């Protein structure tokens, strides 16, 4: 998959607040799909699974089967790649503008 297509998948996955909430649940430790369903009682299992599928397609979640359980693990690398490619470049530019403004005001 091309880098652009992968970026699009990551942005799509992160665009939905429920998927971000699922990632937050996985931040500290892997969870089974059942655990994630329990954490979101207002969503049925099918909806949780659909959101997990989008997260897997974006490579943000890696699922591993252990017996009958499906363990979902956070893969934060695509988020870091988005940060490195997009956010850090714009933040650096914004900081340089603020630095110039500060210098101008001090003169």
């Amino acid at each position: 998959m091309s880098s652009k297509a992968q970026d699009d998948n990551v942005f799509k996955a992160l665009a939905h607040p429920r998927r971000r909430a699922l990632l937050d649940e996985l931040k500290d430790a892997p969870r089974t799909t059942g655990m994630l369903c329990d954490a979101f009682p207002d969503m049925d299992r099918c909806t949780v699974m659909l959101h997990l599928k989008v997260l897997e397609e974006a490579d943000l979640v890696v699922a591993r089967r252990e017996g009958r359980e499906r363990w979902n693990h956070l893969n934060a690398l695509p988020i870091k790649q988005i940060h490195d490619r997009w956010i850090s470049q714009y933040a650096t530019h914004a900081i340089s503008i603020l630095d110039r403004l500060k210098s101008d005001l001090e003169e």
Side-chain angles (χ1 to χ4, degrees), residues 92-107:
T92 301
H93 179 68
I95 289 170
S96 68
I97 290 171
L98 290 173
D99 189 40
R100 275 187 273 144
L101 176 63
K102 180 183 176 210
S103 297
D104 291 347
L105 290 173
E106 288 175 344
E107 289 177 1

Side-chain angles (χ1 to χ4, degrees), residues 22 33 37 44-54 56 65 70 72:
L22 284 166
T33 302
C37 290
D44 60 40
R45 186 176 186 84
C46 184
T47 303
V48 171
M49 292 292 293
L50 288 173
H51 284 305
L52 286 171
K53 183 175 189 267
V54 173
E56 284 183 74
R65 283 217 165 266
R70 182 177 186 262
N72 300 283

Side-chain angles (χ1 to χ4, degrees), residues 14-90:
L14 294 175
H16 198 286
R18 287 299 191 160
R19 290 193 282 269
R20 292 191 305 268
L22 284 166
L23 291 176
D24 285 341
E25 282 293 314
L26 297 172
K27 186 173 43 179
D28 295 325
R31 304 272 195 271
T32 65
T33 302
M35 290 173 177
L36 291 172
C37 290
D38 291 343
F40 297 94
D42 56 324
M43 281 196 294
D44 60 40
R45 186 176 186 84
C46 184
T47 303
V48 171
M49 292 292 293
L50 288 173
H51 284 305
L52 286 171
K53 183 175 189 267
V54 173
L55 292 168
E56 284 183 74
E57 288 170 356
D59 200 29
L60 292 167
V61 168
V62 176
R64 302 270 186 254
R65 283 217 165 266
E66 290 183 24
R68 293 182 52 155
E69 294 181 321
R70 182 177 186 262
W71 285 86
N72 300 283
H73 301 259
L74 173 66
N75 177 19
L77 186 58
I79 297 171
K80 181 181 181 327
Q81 290 169 336
I82 291 290
H83 175 272
D84 292 348
R85 164 64 179 93
W86 291 95
I87 299 167
S88 65
Q89 292 179 16
Y90 290 101

